[in-house]
Amino acid sequence: MSSGSEKAAFRAVGAVCDAVDKVMTGRADNAFCAIRPPGHHAEPGLAMGFCLFNNVAIAASYARRHYHLERIAIVDFDVHHGNGTQAAFYNQPNVLYASSHQMPHYPGTGYPTETGAGNIINVPLAAGETGIAFRQKYSAIILPALRKFKPELLLISAGFDAHKDDPLASIMLVEEDFRWITQELMCCAESYCESRIISALEGGYNLDALAASVAVHVKTLMGL
Ligand SMILES: [Zn+2]
């Protein structure tokens, strides 16, 4: 942490909540929040893993309260398990939390047996797995669950540390894999929630890989 962390953390939460307002009122089709610190490791009572506030979880709660949404989905493709988001919604069937993550790896949670009220879906990836396995697992498990859930709003915990060049993990995704998952999630959002997507930056620690991956993600969200 630094002397600027508090301000940055409040702005990060504020950005995602502002994106909820813009997307829910039709002022934006979708949104990407280029924020740090990330959020998905922060539990309701515990800062953890670079995360001070759980930006996406707070935005989901905000959306539920202010726009009376009954079904919100959060898809988390950061290479680490979002223990904080899972903890925030563990027994809340109106929020679907689906995560793909390297396992075993930090923070040690995210087993497929952690299912909450049936609303938690954990899909482990083994070190060294490539986009082929990533796409197969999304196609077989997470995307069908998302379609069955029929979310009214889709939030993305968009971490790019599953990139092959990332120094913190050992999954071998490339930019095209991030384009693919973005397109698949957009397709689902188009079917069920008028294309409403709010994506928030989580991890990503090779700055060149992060920049290239975020650019692909944002261009895809923009329909480019
Ligand atoms: Zn991460």
Side-chain angles (χ1 to χ4, degrees):
M1 292 179 67
S2 73
S3 58
S5 295
E6 181 187 15
K7 188 175 180 185
F10 277 114
R11 284 188 176 276
V13 176
V16 190
C17 291
D18 188 52
V20 167
D21 284 334
K22 289 202 164 56
V23 169
M24 288 306 302
T25 57
R27 283 177 287 159
D29 295 330
N30 56 38
F32 174 75
C33 304
I35 52 175
R36 286 277 166 87
H40 73 157
H41 293 306
E43 297 187 357
L46 182 70
M48 188 173 154
F50 311 148
C51 303
L52 300 180
F53 300 128
N54 194 318
N55 308 309
V56 166
I58 291 169
S61 298
Y62 173 78
R64 209 160 43 154
R65 188 172 304 171
H66 285 260
Y67 298 98
H68 309 292
L69 300 180
E70 291 179 5
R71 292 180 312 283
I72 296 175
I74 301 170
V75 174
D76 184 337
F77 59 71
D78 187 281
V79 81
H80 302 97
H81 179 239
N83 60 291
T85 313
Q86 173 170 298
F89 300 114
Y90 198 66
N91 280 307
Q92 298 189 32
N94 48 2
V95 176
L96 180 79
Y97 176 66
S99 173
S100 59
H101 43 271
Q102 183 177 330
M103 197 162 210
H105 202 39
Y106 182 86
T109 50
Y111 287 91
T113 50
E114 297 164 19
T115 56
N119 62 313
I120 306 291
I121 298 169
N122 285 311
V123 178
L125 303 167
E129 283 198 314
T130 67
I132 295 171
F134 177 85
R135 295 183 193 205
Q136 281 174 344
K137 289 177 181 181
Y138 267 88
S139 297
I141 304 170
I142 292 181
L143 295 171
L146 200 54
R147 292 185 176 281
K148 191 175 168 200
F149 183 73
K150 298 182 172 55
E152 296 165 298
L153 175 65
L154 176 57
L155 299 173
I156 304 175
S157 267
F160 297 92
D161 40 11
H163 191 283
K164 66 179 178 59
D165 296 335
D166 195 277
L168 262 60
S170 309
I171 301 299
M172 308 302 283
L173 300 192
V174 296
E175 286 86 335
E176 280 308 307
D177 297 311
F178 293 117
R179 187 195 313 279
W180 179 84
I181 188 58
T182 306
Q183 285 171 338
E184 292 294 320
L185 294 175
M186 289 175 75
C187 186
C188 187
E190 190 179 354
S191 299
Y192 300 109
C193 53
E194 298 168 36
S195 300
R196 290 191 290 259
I197 291 179
I198 294 155
S199 177
L201 183 63
E202 299 282 1
Y205 305 98
N206 175 313
L207 293 185
D208 292 334
L210 176 63
S213 301
V214 168
V216 164
H217 180 60
V218 171
K219 280 182 183 170
T220 306
L221 286 173
M222 293 174 74
L224 300 175

